[in-house]
């Protein structure tokens, strides 16, 4: 009997062991498609590691700065990208899938660059790529400057007609590349465009006048831009302009009056006398002028005449504000007071009474609008800052960008 009971207990244990084994086998079958504790797939179903590639390649030298840094990943998504030109961060953007990062602008010449990028595969396993390279040292360079009148008023306020005029130290042949690097941002945006005036100057103006009382920022991302064969810019160029109140003066040569509106409200009506029209050069031009530089006094000499010739003059004129490159000013009258408000008696300038000329001189901003009507002589679009004379559709055709 003792032997029999022992056999029964052994059989019972054996049967229990078979049951446990069956349960273990069943559990393993049910869990074969579940993710592993590390977040990846088990066995041969694990995702491949992400692969990061960087251009320019590590160790490259004499890299052309007008290229871009490009970081790509296969088998995953980019997590972080850090590019430095020396100690300066290089900006860039990811594509929508976050499989590519590209630098936004050209690269600094003669500079060591370092790139570090991280990515993750679908299982969250991290991968990293690095590169270090140096851009070439240009054999020829080009520099940029702002129009001297704009630069001389730096920190002051400008009128709503203000153009942005950039000059280059040598001819630009890759105009498209240069223009792509020019970024204009206004607090109160309006449509605008650049136009090339020859090979060494480019001008920006909006479609309509700037909105008053705002900042306009020019960022010229020119460092590394290839302006011509083997010619590169070395530095970026940045300026901020403060647009002041809207000052628009309407000058009617037939009624001999000027009306000045500030922020849309009439501020002053001034009796004036303009060019007498005896010759073309003594005829005030009709069109949209902009105020430029000013002086008190300004020496004015008859163009194309010698002392003793008919119509010759050489005078110091007070409170003079220049509005074109052909010698036109708004200024205090130097006599002929009876002409003010009655007749055109000047040599082409717009004369004002002393008190009005002083007020205009003291309150004017470079880039204020002076719209003159009533003469047969039309203002040329390139006579000073007279860029508003060109129709907008024509202006845009002067851009290097389609």
């Amino acid at each position: 009997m003792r032997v029999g009971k022992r056999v029964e207990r052994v059989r019972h244990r054996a049967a229990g062991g078979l049951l446990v084994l069956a349960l273990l086998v069943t559990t393993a079958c049910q869990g074969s498609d579940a993710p592993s504790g590390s977040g990846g797939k088990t066995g041969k179903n694990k995702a491949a590691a992400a692969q990061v590639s960087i251009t320019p390649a590590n160790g490259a030298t004499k890299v052309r700065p007008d290229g871009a840094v490009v970081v790509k990943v296969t088998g995953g998504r980019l997590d972080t990208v850090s590019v430095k030109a020396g100690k300066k961060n290089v900006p860039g953007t990811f594509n929508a899938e976050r499989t590519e990062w590209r630098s936004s602008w050209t690269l600094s010449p003669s500079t060591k660059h370092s790139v570090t990028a991280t990515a993750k595969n679908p299982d969250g396993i991290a991968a990293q790529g690095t590169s270090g390279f140096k851009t070439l040292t240009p054999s020829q360079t080009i520099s940029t400057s702002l129009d001297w009148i704009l630069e001389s008023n730096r920190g002051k306020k400008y009128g709503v007609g203000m153009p942005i005029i950039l000059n280059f130290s040598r001819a630009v042949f890759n105009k498209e590349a240069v223009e792509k690097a020019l970024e204009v941002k206004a607090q109160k945006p309006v449509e605008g465009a650049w136009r090339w005036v020859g090979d060494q100057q480019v001008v920006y103006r909006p479609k309509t006048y700037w909105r008053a009382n705002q900042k306009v920022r020019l960022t010229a991302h020119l460092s590394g831009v290839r302006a011509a064969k083997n010619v590169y810019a070395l530095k970026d160029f940045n300026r901020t302009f403060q647009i002041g109140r809207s000052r628009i003066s309407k000058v009617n040569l037939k009624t001999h009056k000027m009306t000045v509106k500030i922020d849309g409200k009439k501020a002053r009506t001034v009796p004036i006398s303009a060019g007498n029209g005896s010759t073309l050069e003594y005829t005030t031009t009709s069109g949209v002028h902009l105020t430029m530089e000013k002086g008190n006094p300004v020496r004015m000499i008859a163009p194309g005449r010698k002392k003793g010739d008919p119509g010759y003059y050489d005078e110091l004129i007070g409170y003079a504000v220049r509005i074109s490159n052909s010698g036109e000013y708004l200024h205090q009258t130097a006599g002929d007071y009876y002409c003010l408000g009655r007749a055109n008696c000047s040599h082409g300038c717009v004369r004002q009474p002393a008190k009005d000329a002083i007020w205009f001189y003291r309150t004017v901003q470079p880039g204020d609008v002076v719209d003159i009507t009533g003469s047969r002589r039309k203002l040329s679009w390139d006579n000073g800052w007279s860029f508003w004379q060109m129709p907008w559709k024509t202006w845009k055709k002067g851009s290097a960008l389609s």
Side-chain angles (χ1 to χ4, degrees), residues 261-282:
K261 288 187 176 181
I262 298 178
D263 291 335
K265 296 181 179 180
K266 185 186 293 186
R268 213 171 186 102
T269 299
V270 180
I272 60 96
S273 177
N276 59 41
S278 60
T279 65
L280 188 65
E281 63 186 353
Y282 286 173

Side-chain angles (χ1 to χ4, degrees), residues 141-252:
T141 62
I142 187 170
S143 59
T144 312
S145 61
L146 197 65
D147 175 89
W148 73 268
I149 297 175
L150 290 170
E151 192 69 81
S152 65
N153 285 277
R154 191 174 178 183
K156 300 178 182 178
K157 293 182 179 180
Y158 301 85
V160 295
M162 179 202 73
I164 300 175
I165 306 171
L166 280 180
N167 297 313
F168 297 91
S169 60
R170 61 197 308 161
V172 174
F173 295 107
N174 294 337
K175 292 183 174 65
E176 183 177 356
V178 170
E179 193 173 331
K180 281 182 178 179
L182 305 179
E183 184 180 28
V184 177
K185 289 186 176 181
Q187 289 178 318
K188 304 172 184 178
V190 290
E191 182 183 355
W194 293 95
R195 180 180 181 85
W196 288 89
V197 183
D199 292 331
Q200 290 185 244
Q201 186 179 83
V202 65
V203 181
Y204 184 93
R205 55 153 278 208
K207 181 179 179 179
T208 57
Y209 298 143
W210 299 104
R211 297 179 187 178
N213 304 309
Q214 62 160 323
K215 288 183 179 180
V216 175
R217 175 74 173 173
L218 164 67
T219 306
H221 305 272
L222 292 170
S223 179
V225 170
R226 186 171 179 262
K229 185 178 180 180
N230 299 325
V231 178
Y232 292 88
L234 297 180
K235 297 180 179 179
D236 292 341
F237 185 87
N238 306 299
R239 289 292 184 273
T240 299
F241 308 93
Q242 177 67 51
I243 306 297
R245 303 174 74 181
S246 171
R247 289 175 50 93
I248 298 179
S249 302
K250 298 278 189 177
V251 180
N252 190 319

